[in-house]
Amino acid sequence: MTAESASCVDAPTEEVTIELEGRTTTTRYRKGDTLLQSARSAELRPPYSCEIGNCGSCMARIVEGSAHMVNNDALEDDEVAEGWVLTCQSLPTSRTVRVVYE
Ligand code: FES
């Protein structure tokens, strides 16, 4: 289990852009929502299963901006270094963030 410091918040997040199944959707960010919750609030149907950071089925890549993963029991360090996150555990930490489900 990895736990990053919660002190890495740069700016309040305003928008989340999600690329899923060839469609790009931008939604206003609701404070406290994970990236997965943001996608679901935008009426998208992203993949997920456990919602506790164990299974990896919700993984997506951050291509712009940043997020803090509350819990990660699924991704390796090199995947995290490449920008992969567990969206069910990720709270955005930049003004805007762009997430791609591949
Ligand atoms: S849904 Fe299982 S790790 Fe996110």
Side-chain angles (χ1 to χ4, degrees):
M1 179 160 59
T2 324
E4 294 170 33
S5 162
S7 64
C8 55
V9 176
D10 298 322
T13 303
E14 294 172 9
E15 280 182 354
V16 177
T17 299
I18 300 139
E19 292 183 36
L20 175 67
E21 294 171 349
R23 201 171 129 207
T24 301
T25 305
T26 299
T27 184
R28 280 207 86 64
Y29 179 66
R30 270 198 332 220
K31 194 168 187 277
D33 274 2
T34 63
L35 294 175
L36 178 63
Q37 288 167 328
S38 296
R40 284 159 59 185
S41 296
E43 299 186 355
L44 300 176
R45 300 172 73 183
Y48 68 93
S49 179
C50 73
E51 295 192 73
I52 56 171
N54 281 342
C55 73
S57 60
C58 67
M59 69 190 279
R61 207 158 53 85
I62 291 186
V63 296
E64 284 173 31
S66 57
H68 164 69
M69 255 193 298
V70 177
N71 184 36
N72 171 23
D73 289 330
L75 298 176
E76 303 292 337
D77 289 348
D78 58 336
E79 293 173 309
V80 174
E82 289 171 5
W84 290 97
V85 293
L86 302 173
T87 58
C88 74
Q89 296 296 310
S90 294
L91 298 169
T93 54
S94 51
R95 195 178 66 76
T96 60
V97 61
R98 188 178 190 100
V99 185
V100 180
Y101 286 89
E102 296 182 352

